[in-house]
Amino acid sequence: SKGPGSYTGLRVGVSTAKGLCFGAGIPLIGVGTLDTLVWQAIECSMVPEGCKAIVPMIDARRMEVYTAVFSPEGKQLTPTEAKIIDSETFASCLGEGPVLFIGDGALKCREVIDSQNAVFVQCFPQAGYMLHPAMEAFEEKRFEDVAYFEPFYLKEFIATTPKHRIF
């Protein structure tokens, strides 16, 4: 995954992928974490009938999520961003019909997004659902530069001092 997501998880995953691609002399393809969640919803038949949008959500702590709006066919409609969720955040989409909120940030938003058109599925992205966007990138020859590719963190990493010392 090229992100967004956990700083450490993305760093380790991308470093491993870059090493494998460089060593094997094969191209590197980056797939967004939000894309993975969208294709997971599509391929697992989670998309409700008449769905107007799929909104993948990755927990970014507190009431913030990494998100974007996708069409029911998997096309990204809005830029990926870190959003603080309130009752009006997706009101325009929800006014048009059913909207699927999927990901590890979906359930925490259930309490705030109060709409009959909101469908919530709590899950984590699974690597197998990267296949469709990865194949699309491969066919279009959209490869990442193995030497200079960096994950899409979305927010800057901020190191903190642990509250509890082990030693």
Side-chain angles (χ1 to χ4, degrees):
S1 176
K2 66 180 178 181
S6 154
Y7 180 86
T8 303
L10 290 173
R11 201 80 179 147
V12 169
V14 167
S15 297
T16 302
K18 286 172 71 170
L20 291 169
C21 289
F22 180 76
I26 57 175
L28 174 64
I29 296 173
V31 174
T33 312
L34 298 178
D35 297 277
T36 304
L37 282 167
V38 168
W39 283 99
Q40 188 168 331
I42 292 169
E43 292 180 15
C44 290
S45 303
M46 295 182 206
V47 181
E49 189 171 324
C51 184
K52 299 301 178 190
I54 301 172
V55 181
M57 297 178 147
I58 299 170
D59 190 0
R61 305 292 180 244
R62 298 184 190 91
M63 280 313 292
E64 191 172 31
V65 293
Y66 301 130
T67 191
V69 177
F70 287 74
S71 73
E73 297 77 36
K75 184 179 188 304
Q76 189 166 347
L77 304 174
T78 64
T80 300
E81 60 185 325
K83 243 186 207 288
I84 296 173
I85 304 301
D86 63 32
S87 61
E88 297 300 312
T89 305
F90 296 101
S92 61
C93 289
L94 289 162
E96 297 175 14
V99 175
L100 174 64
F101 296 93
I102 183 171
D104 68 346
L107 281 190
K108 77 176 186 179
C109 297
R110 173 182 261 159
E111 298 169 15
V112 178
I113 299 171
D114 184 27
S115 172
Q116 292 180 1
N117 285 331
V119 177
F120 297 92
V121 175
Q122 177 83 5
C123 67
F124 295 98
Q126 296 179 17
Y129 299 105
M130 297 173 113
L131 182 60
H132 186 275
M135 288 302 297
E136 196 174 85
F138 182 79
E139 289 166 3
E140 295 173 6
K141 299 192 183 328
R142 281 187 285 123
F143 304 124
E144 307 294 348
D145 185 314
V146 175
Y148 297 104
F149 177 72
E150 289 190 19
F152 179 45
Y153 297 116
L154 199 58
K155 294 192 324 186
E156 292 297 317
F157 175 72
I158 300 170
T160 59
T161 305
K163 291 180 184 179
H164 305 286
R165 294 192 176 265
I166 297 173
F167 301 100

